């Protein structure tokens, strides 16, 4: 694959970014694409390594060495076709996926993996620029109708695959805009929403109907869906946030991360935010509790809003700067990760447990914490203990809870459906048939597997579509 000696002759080169002082002044994407000739060179670095471990790392089953080779040989359109054969939305994954494929790359043994994510994004972006991406309209339509609940990446992938199989597909979205957390949660500086709009237009020409402000179980009844559709795919996501029930939680100024992020995305879209519910970091000491991607998005958004200071707290210990390859490769390693948002300005703290919030006149003003240590117990599980005498405090005008999501929201649709749940509260459905305990109701994405990556959502949506196609027609030509 690629050039036989490419990995020895060529250094890894990735896309660049706008300088920090420029990009924090706006909410647009700040990636600087690589020149196509340089992208082709990067494709040449892909080794003929015998076993493509990048396949193990990629949940959506991208055929990475093959399209790397095509890019190296300037067969860009073929590379795009191959990329689309496994991934409906590579412009999404090429921007917001953490690239577990690169962690699994054989060259990552020397910390120098192929720039897979950069190549993927370059291929699909060029495809749009050249007009190569067109609607795939089925030659024959079935008489079957399928409802897809939720328009995040799993719902969109499921809907597009089913439409291409010839079924009539309606996507129900409770919000006023399509895209799920891609639309309301991911900041525009990571992924501009015109990318979703462009795919929506393609899908509408392929026959998908989108119904916004349609909250199934609320203003759209389950009976309506049962009467109108032969199958229902629940792709509603994992939206119940993990809370922090400590003293002072009720104070004004303590919010869930998604309340903060979605409001800023609304602003970027042109929506006017009422002043009495506006959440802004401008001029404030911001504390972000939670060290994952959502917390990082809060950091980047706070800096762009003009925060006085931004501090991020993580309950777990600080990870090592570099992983032990002999123990971790080709699996996803636990190591220190610094995002572009962290580079824009953020104090990071580890092994910190929040004990309480304090406030003045009903508004948060201080966060009381204690340091913790993690040790293995007799059962070999890590256990947390507070370090006596390590209590300390932070000034805080705005606290954002970014500690993840526990399961889909049960109130409303899920309870009315009566679908069986797993012990942790997700919809119970296996990862082959994707069928729930309720007849003709299927589940995919975060609502089934728990909060996860966009690549997993796309994969589950595609596989769920194949299962629904088999359920309706007895067989399916859709890929898994």
């Amino acid at each position: 694959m690629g050039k036989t000696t490419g990995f020895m002759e060529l250094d890894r080169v990735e896309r660049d970014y706008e300088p920090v002082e420029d990009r924090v002044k706006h909410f647009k994407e700040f990636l600087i694409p690589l020149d196509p000739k340089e992208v082709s060179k990067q494709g040449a670095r892909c080794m003929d390594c015998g076993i493509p471990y990048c396949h193990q790392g990629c949940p959506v089953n991208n055929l990475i060495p093959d399209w790397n080779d095509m890019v190296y040989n300037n067969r860009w359109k073929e590379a795009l076709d191959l990329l689309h054969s496994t991934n409906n939305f590579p412009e999404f994954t090429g921007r917001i996926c953490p690239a577990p494929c690169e962690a699994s790359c054989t060259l990552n043994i020397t910390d120098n993996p192929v720039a897979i994510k950069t190549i993927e994004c370059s291929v699909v972006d060029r495809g749009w620029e050249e007009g190569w991406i067109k609607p795939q309209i089925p030659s024959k339509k079935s008489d079957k109708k399928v409802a897809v609940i939720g328009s995040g990446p799993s719902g969109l992938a499921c809907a597009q695959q089913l439409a291409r199989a010839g079924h009539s597909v309606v996507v129900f979205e409770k919000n006023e805009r399509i895209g799920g957390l891609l639309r309301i949660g991911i900041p525009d500086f990571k992924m501009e929403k015109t990318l979703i709009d462009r795919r929506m237009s393609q899908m509408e020409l392929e026959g998908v109907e989108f119904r916004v402000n349609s909250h199934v179980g609320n203003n759209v009844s389950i009976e309506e869906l049962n009467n109108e559709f032969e199958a229902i795919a629940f792709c509603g996501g994992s939206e119940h946030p993990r809370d922090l029930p400590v003293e002072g939680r009720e104070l004004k100024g303590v919010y869930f991360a998604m309340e903060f992020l979605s409001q800023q995305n609304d602003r970027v879209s042109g929506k006017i935010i009422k002043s009495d519910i506006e959440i802004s970091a401008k001029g404030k000491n911001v504390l972000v509790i939670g060290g994952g991607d959502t917390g990082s998005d809060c950091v980047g958004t706070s800096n762009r809003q003009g925060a006085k200071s931004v501090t991020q707290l993580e309950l777990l210990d600080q990870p090592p700067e570099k992983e032990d390859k002999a123990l971790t490769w080709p699996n996803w390693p636990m190591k220190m990760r610094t995002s572009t948002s962290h580079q824009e300005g953020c104090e990071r703290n580890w092994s910190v447990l929040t004990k309480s919030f304090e406030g003045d006149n009903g508004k948060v003003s201080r966060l009381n914490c204690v340091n913790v240590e993690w040790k293995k117990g007799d059962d070999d599980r890590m256990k947390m203990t507070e370090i006596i005498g390590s209590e300390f405090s932070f000034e805080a005008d705005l606290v954002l809870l970014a500690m993840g999501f526990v399961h889909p929201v049960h109130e409303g649709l899920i309870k009315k459906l009566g679908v069986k749940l797993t012990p942790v509260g997700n919809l119970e459905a296996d990862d082959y048939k994707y069928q729930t305990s309720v007849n003709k109701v299927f589940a995919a994405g975060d609502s089934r597997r728990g909060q996860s990556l966009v690549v997993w959502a796309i994969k589950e949506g595609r596989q769920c579509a194949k299962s629904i196609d088999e359920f309706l027609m007895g067989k399916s030509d859709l890929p898994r």
Side-chain angles (χ1 to χ4, degrees):
M1 296 298 172
K3 184 179 180 182
T4 306
T5 56
F7 70 97
M8 295 186 289
E9 299 172 10
L10 299 165
D11 293 328
R12 172 183 166 95
V13 178
E14 294 187 88
R15 299 166 289 189
D16 204 354
Y17 304 111
E18 287 182 22
V20 169
E21 60 270 21
D22 293 334
R23 70 192 195 221
V24 294
K25 296 175 182 177
H26 62 78
F27 282 89
K28 296 179 180 179
E29 289 184 13
F30 52 84
L31 282 170
I32 301 174
L34 277 185
D35 179 87
K37 290 182 180 178
E38 184 58 53
V39 177
S40 292
K41 286 183 181 179
Q42 291 305 301
R45 297 188 66 247
C46 190
M47 301 171 65
D48 187 4
C49 55
I51 298 174
Y53 288 99
C54 55
H55 285 188
Q56 176 214 269
C58 179
V60 84
N61 301 323
N62 278 334
L63 302 171
I64 296 163
D66 302 82
W67 42 256
N68 279 339
D69 180 63
M70 291 173 180
V71 168
Y72 167 56
N73 288 293
N74 288 310
R75 293 156 54 195
W76 286 75
K77 190 173 185 303
E78 291 175 69
L80 176 68
D81 292 340
L82 193 62
L83 180 55
H84 271 139
S85 71
T86 58
N87 185 352
N88 295 66
F89 315 117
E91 64 269 43
F92 301 168
T93 56
R95 285 169 168 82
I96 62 174
C97 177
C101 53
E102 293 189 15
S104 295
C105 177
T106 302
L107 284 175
N108 192 41
I109 294 174
T110 59
D111 290 316
N112 206 22
V114 175
I116 299 169
K117 183 175 173 180
T118 292
I119 296 172
E120 173 186 29
C121 199
S122 300
V123 169
V124 68
D125 284 353
R126 181 168 179 178
W128 284 110
E129 291 167 7
E130 299 284 354
W132 295 335
I133 301 174
K134 301 181 184 299
Q136 297 181 28
I137 300 171
S139 58
K140 186 170 67 173
K141 295 281 288 183
S142 76
D143 60 350
K144 308 297 184 183
K145 293 190 70 176
V146 183
V148 176
I149 302 172
S151 66
S154 63
L156 292 177
C158 183
Q160 186 167 58
Q161 292 297 97
L162 287 167
R164 290 175 175 178
H167 305 303
S168 297
V169 183
V170 179
V171 176
F172 292 86
E173 171 55 56
K174 66 183 178 182
N175 296 309
E176 61 186 36
R177 290 176 292 161
I178 294 295
L181 287 186
L182 290 174
R183 174 79 71 175
I184 66 172
I186 300 294
D188 283 68
F189 59 78
K190 288 177 67 175
M191 194 189 90
E192 292 183 13
K193 306 312 176 237
T194 53
L195 302 179
I196 304 172
D197 299 335
R198 192 166 57 183
R199 281 295 181 183
M200 282 179 60
S201 297
Q202 180 196 35
M203 292 173 66
E204 286 174 329
L205 291 171
E206 292 172 347
V208 176
E209 178 186 347
F210 293 100
R211 298 183 190 175
V212 296
N213 297 315
S214 299
H215 194 171
V216 180
N218 189 345
N219 62 345
V220 178
S221 72
I222 298 166
E223 291 72 27
E224 287 179 63
L225 263 61
N226 278 323
N227 292 333
E228 186 178 353
F229 300 95
E230 279 81 15
I232 300 168
F234 187 93
C235 304
S238 181
E239 294 182 291
H240 195 290
R242 181 173 284 106
D243 207 344
L244 188 59
V246 297
E247 183 182 348
R249 170 63 180 88
E250 75 287 351
L251 290 168
K252 187 176 181 181
V254 183
Y255 301 100
F256 288 118
M258 210 48 62
E259 296 177 273
F260 174 67
L261 295 172
S262 62
Q263 198 175 96
Q264 180 55 47
N265 282 8
D266 284 344
R267 286 191 196 95
V268 174
S269 73
K271 186 175 180 179
I272 304 299
I273 308 298
K274 294 180 181 179
S275 59
D276 60 328
I277 61 170
E278 186 171 21
I279 308 170
S280 175
K282 187 174 182 179
K284 295 178 180 176
N285 295 307
V286 180
L287 279 175
V288 180
I289 301 179
D293 287 342
T294 303
S296 172
D297 293 343
C298 289
V299 170
T301 300
S302 296
N303 280 322
R304 282 163 177 76
Q305 289 184 358
K308 182 179 179 181
S309 68
V310 183
T311 303
Q312 188 174 23
L313 309 181
E314 171 58 62
L315 181 63
L316 300 175
D317 290 338
Q318 181 173 345
E321 288 288 338
K322 183 173 168 25
E323 73 272 30
D324 185 338
K325 302 287 186 183
L327 293 177
T328 61
W329 183 88
N331 297 316
W332 182 252
M334 174 63 72
K335 68 175 184 178
M336 183 74 164
R337 302 180 193 278
T338 300
S339 71
T340 55
S341 291
H342 293 137
Q343 293 167 356
E344 293 161 5
C346 174
E347 180 185 338
R348 304 172 74 182
N349 296 266
W350 285 266
S351 308
V352 176
L353 174 67
T354 302
K355 297 293 288 184
S356 65
F357 301 108
E358 291 181 21
D360 300 312
N361 300 318
K363 295 182 180 180
V364 69
S365 61
R366 183 168 294 276
L367 188 69
N368 297 316
C369 308
V370 64
N371 287 126
V372 298
E373 60 180 354
W374 294 86
K375 291 183 179 179
K376 272 190 179 181
D378 295 336
D379 57 359
D380 278 342
R381 299 179 66 180
M382 297 298 290
K383 294 184 178 179
M384 179 189 75
T385 56
E386 297 181 18
I387 299 175
I388 299 173
S390 66
E391 296 83 1
F392 63 101
S393 299
F394 286 105
E395 288 186 19
D397 307 304
L398 176 63
V399 179
L400 303 171
L401 306 181
M403 302 178 296
F405 301 86
V406 291
H407 51 63
V409 175
H410 296 158
E411 290 70 25
L413 175 59
I414 291 178
K415 283 189 176 180
K416 290 179 181 178
L417 273 174
V419 65
K420 189 175 180 181
L421 303 175
T422 67
V424 296
N426 297 322
L427 276 67
E428 185 172 280
D430 66 41
D431 56 6
Y432 186 81
K433 289 294 186 181
Y434 290 88
Q435 286 182 285
T436 71
S437 59
V438 177
N439 181 45
K440 78 178 188 181
V441 176
F442 297 74
D446 289 4
S447 62
R448 190 199 73 85
R449 68 176 291 114
Q451 72 166 38
S452 191
L453 305 177
V454 65
V455 275
W456 276 110
I458 293 171
K459 176 180 181 176
E460 294 222 346
R462 288 170 61 89
Q463 292 190 335
C464 182
K466 181 177 179 67
S467 183
I468 291 173
D469 191 31
E470 290 175 341
F471 172 78
L472 295 174
M473 309 302 292
K475 62 177 184 177
S476 176
D477 292 326
L478 290 173
R480 278 187 63 80

